[in-house]
Amino acid sequence: MSALVKPVERESAIPSDTVSVQHQIVVVGGGAAGITVAAQLLKKNKQLDIAIIEPRDKHYYQPGWTLVGSGVYKVEDTVRDEKDYIPDGATWLKDYVAKLDPDNNTVITQEGKRICYEYLILAPGIQIDWHLIKGLKEAIGQDGVCSNYAYEYAPYTWEVIKNFQGGNAIFTYPSTPVKCGGAPLKIMYLADDAFRKQEVRRQSKVMYCTALGAIFSVKEFAKTLLSVAERKQIDVRYKHNLKEIKADTKTAIFDVSTDSGVEEIAIKYDLLHVTPPMSAPNFIKQSKLAVSDASGQGWVNVNKYTLQHNIYPNVFSLGDAASLPTSKTAAAVRKQAPVVVDNLLALMDSKNLNKKYNGYTCCPLITGYGKVVLAEFSYDNKPSPTFPVDLTRERYSMWLLKKYGFPYIYWNRMLRGKPFEGKVLGISP
């Protein structure tokens, strides 16, 4: 969730007169994952020498941006000063990462520091690849083109929704993994509710155009989400990958995969909410720590259970940048951080890495104002409830948890290194 992504096009961009510093543990990223794991490590052992590399002064509660885009929160509700969440005892290195050199246990920063480490934790978050959709960078934030995937754009989503007068409202999902896979659906369902309240729904067509072949990865929740789409008369279109926006004619261009190949289609829009493609930050993609596959997304190559790197044993990763086959959410980090902490401390003590991550993640799927399906699941893609309730039902209680409970937990417990709430209550999955 942190913003470490400042691409370096050429290695020559790294200053030659580098300054070297040494730390026992270096955490790359001061977002949800980086702060949480550093805080938990220091709660276990205050003597650890931990440095956190994070360039931004501000820390963002990104799960709140859906509620900004739907008029529930003000965008200012989702940001606080980074300095207030750097754990006591940790060193904050306010800089961008330029290069990773795992063969020499070194991180090179944009300002020319050579940070040497004994152990490295990669938690840099995810990179938003706005440039991969032609015309998006020029169109975003005006004439009905919006996205909740940036602090500066989320308020415009609500501006477009509340002023919508009818027509085609398109909500997209790309062909890559994204932060919180349910977020594109959430804003669509909320927009539909707003259109009905504003009495413009009858003259509107709401479309969900996803590059994927299903509305959600877990069939039990997909069934509920499809029933909501049917109830709201939303047009769900699969294997529709947005590739271009022609702002002058308000036209969205999609590649549509069919049995006979890929067909290009054009759809006019009056509102277009874009979920852009995403990938690992460039400095990971360009390093030996990335997964080498055809996707080019460059996730950190870790064991999905221990979160230890598959090649470099003194490297761990968690959060959005890790190559874990589960949804990329803050709740996933909540269960990943203790695994990294225990396994790293075991490694430092020459013990076996016995802590296992089961893929648990949670996505509060907002289906309307006052309605949430709390989707909790693990690697087996089966519901994994914290509470003994039917997770597939829309509930007002879960809306209250999403609106009030989760932000409180995030700022006051998660980032402070406190344990998972289900574990505290004795009901953890």
Side-chain angles (χ1 to χ4, degrees):
M1 289 177 64
S2 78
L4 297 166
V5 184
K6 188 174 182 180
V8 178
E9 299 298 332
R10 302 177 307 279
E11 190 167 327
S12 60
I14 302 166
S16 57
D17 55 339
T18 54
V19 176
S20 293
V21 297
Q22 175 80 38
H23 289 280
Q24 182 184 27
I25 300 170
V26 170
V27 178
V28 174
I35 294 295
T36 299
V37 77
Q40 289 190 12
L41 278 166
L42 287 165
K43 280 191 177 296
K44 293 270 190 177
N45 184 352
K46 292 182 180 180
Q47 303 307 312
L48 294 172
D49 170 24
I50 299 178
I52 301 171
I53 305 176
E54 169 56 52
R56 287 201 174 182
D57 289 318
K58 299 297 182 182
H59 190 109
Y60 300 97
Y61 179 61
Q62 297 185 37
W65 291 345
T66 292
L67 296 180
V68 173
S70 55
V72 178
Y73 288 170
K74 299 295 185 185
V75 73
E76 295 83 10
D77 297 336
T78 67
V79 61
R80 297 190 183 179
D81 290 334
E82 178 75 11
K83 65 180 176 60
D84 294 336
Y85 293 90
I86 299 293
D88 290 341
T91 301
W92 180 13
L93 304 175
K94 193 173 178 293
D95 202 349
Y96 290 91
V97 171
K99 184 179 179 183
L100 300 171
D101 182 3
D103 290 326
N104 294 296
N105 296 328
T106 301
V107 177
I108 300 171
T109 72
Q110 196 75 27
E111 291 183 0
K113 288 191 176 69
R114 192 177 295 274
I115 315 297
C116 302
Y117 59 81
E118 295 177 43
Y119 304 94
L120 178 66
I121 301 174
L122 291 171
I126 205 166
Q127 177 170 288
I128 309 294
D129 292 324
W130 304 99
H131 65 284
L132 293 183
I133 297 176
K134 186 178 179 181
L136 174 57
K137 288 194 292 184
E138 295 77 19
I140 189 75
Q142 56 189 331
D143 293 329
V145 180
C146 55
S147 178
N148 287 340
Y149 276 93
Y151 178 83
E152 61 268 36
Y153 298 140
Y156 182 66
T157 301
W158 176 234
E159 184 180 330
V160 175
I161 289 172
K162 72 179 180 181
N163 294 317
F164 193 66
Q165 298 298 309
N168 285 348
I170 303 174
F171 299 81
T172 73
Y173 192 110
S175 59
T176 68
V178 300
K179 290 186 283 191
C180 188
L185 287 162
K186 299 175 194 180
I187 191 60
M188 176 182 67
Y189 291 141
L190 288 162
D192 177 89
D193 270 13
F195 297 160
R196 293 175 191 277
K197 185 177 181 180
Q198 294 155 202
E199 298 183 346
V200 297
R201 183 62 177 89
R202 287 187 177 182
Q203 60 261 36
S204 305
K205 182 171 185 177
V206 179
M207 286 177 276
Y208 183 60
C209 295
T210 173
L212 307 182
I215 198 168
F216 199 72
S217 59
V218 181
K219 64 180 182 180
E220 288 87 350
F221 300 121
K223 183 178 179 181
T224 301
L225 295 171
L226 283 172
S227 70
V228 173
E230 184 177 346
R231 182 179 79 218
K232 292 176 176 287
Q233 297 180 305
I234 292 170
D235 182 2
V236 179
R237 302 188 180 189
Y238 300 112
K239 299 185 178 180
H240 279 55
N241 189 35
L242 179 67
K243 71 173 186 178
E244 182 179 356
I245 298 170
K246 295 184 176 180
D248 55 339
T249 59
K250 300 190 79 168
T251 305
I253 309 298
F254 293 87
D255 275 342
V256 181
S257 298
T258 66
D259 292 340
S260 56
V262 178
E263 175 187 357
E264 182 179 286
I265 70 164
I267 307 175
K268 294 283 188 177
Y269 65 83
D270 297 281
L271 182 160
L272 177 62
H273 180 274
V274 179
T275 302
M278 303 182 197
S279 64
N282 287 349
F283 65 82
I284 290 177
K285 287 181 195 170
Q286 296 161 3
S287 77
K288 294 182 178 181
L289 295 171
V291 172
S292 178
D293 61 20
S295 74
Q297 291 160 13
W299 312 113
V300 184
N301 181 15
V302 294
N303 181 286
K304 71 177 187 177
Y305 299 113
T306 65
L307 309 188
Q308 183 184 38
H309 198 274
N310 286 317
I311 298 171
Y312 296 90
N314 65 332
V315 178
F316 291 80
S317 182
L318 72 163
D320 294 349
S323 63
L324 305 173
T326 192
S327 292
K328 299 178 182 296
T329 69
V333 169
R334 201 80 172 93
K335 297 300 285 285
Q336 293 165 13
V339 175
V340 172
V341 168
D342 285 4
N343 284 341
L344 174 54
L345 293 176
L347 180 67
M348 293 170 69
D349 205 23
S350 300
K351 295 180 179 178
N352 292 331
L353 278 59
N354 293 324
K355 194 81 169 183
K356 306 295 183 186
Y357 172 59
N358 68 355
Y360 172 86
T361 190
C362 174
C363 188
L365 298 166
I366 302 171
T367 55
Y369 291 93
K371 297 177 181 178
V372 166
V373 174
L374 191 66
E376 295 179 282
F377 53 96
S378 301
Y379 282 142
D380 60 3
N381 272 351
K382 297 290 184 184
S384 181
T386 298
F387 301 96
V389 297
D390 180 359
L391 293 179
T392 64
R393 288 182 54 192
E394 298 170 90
R395 296 177 186 273
Y396 179 67
S397 60
M398 298 306 174
W399 165 263
L400 295 177
L401 195 60
K402 167 67 177 176
K403 185 177 178 182
Y404 301 109
F406 289 152
Y408 177 85
I409 289 169
Y410 183 83
W411 295 115
N412 297 286
R413 292 189 57 81
M414 181 173 170
L415 297 185
R416 302 304 187 190
K418 295 180 180 178
F420 185 76
E421 288 63 42
K423 183 176 182 180
V424 172
L425 298 170
I427 53 175
S428 180

